[in-house]
Amino acid sequence: MAKSADDAKDTTDIRDGPASEPTTESTSTKGGTARDKGADKRSGDPRKRAAARAKEDKAEAKARHKVKAQRIGNPSWFVPLMLALMLIGPVWVVTFYITREKYPVESWGRWNLGGGFAFILAGFAMTTRWK
């Protein structure tokens, strides 16, 4: 009987030796024998062959698929933007008081204080997402 290379090294066929000699089939971790591993590939049933080929292709695709390492942390622009917002807010408020309510936006009037504090709060809110 002709054997494949895998079958020849893993098993001993009963027909090759005397009837009293036990076989040495190795079992895989999933319960099948080494002889069963390629049985579906060599099957006469086209459905079994197709299923075995699809299973092999899926395993190869999974082995080839490289998992990208996930970046932990924030993008490079996050911290500079957070700090800029936290600095623009006080500068806005101080500018409003020093210029006697004419700048940064004269038409806003006292709402310039709200604008300055909005910048401060936006920067502070970003600190909660900082990693």
Side-chain angles (χ1 to χ4, degrees), residues 3-123:
K3 295 185 204 177
S4 68
D6 290 334
D7 288 342
K9 69 179 177 184
D10 289 340
T11 62
T12 304
D13 196 330
I14 294 175
R15 292 179 221 149
D16 290 343
S20 63
E21 191 176 44
T23 61
T24 56
E25 292 184 4
S26 64
T27 57
S28 68
T29 57
K30 296 194 181 198
T33 62
R35 181 177 285 176
D36 295 340
K37 285 183 183 177
D40 288 339
K41 288 190 285 186
R42 296 185 309 261
S43 174
D45 186 358
R47 288 176 293 171
K48 285 185 180 180
R49 276 194 309 242
R53 190 174 301 124
K55 189 175 179 181
E56 270 186 21
D57 292 345
K58 188 176 181 182
E60 285 179 27
K62 188 175 183 179
R64 282 190 304 239
H65 177 71
K66 293 186 180 182
V67 178
K68 292 183 180 178
Q70 291 182 343
R71 276 191 56 171
I72 297 176
N74 300 105
S76 60
W77 53 266
F78 191 85
V79 174
L81 178 63
M82 176 183 73
L83 294 175
L85 290 172
M86 292 177 81
L87 291 174
I88 289 172
V91 169
W92 190 288
V93 172
V94 169
T95 303
F96 175 71
Y97 278 122
I98 290 177
T99 62
R100 297 185 186 175
E101 302 179 8
K102 288 187 179 184
Y103 295 104
V105 181
E106 188 173 3
S107 64
W108 285 8
R110 298 250 175 193
W111 281 102
N112 277 302
L113 292 175
F117 282 109
F119 280 115
I120 294 169
L121 288 174

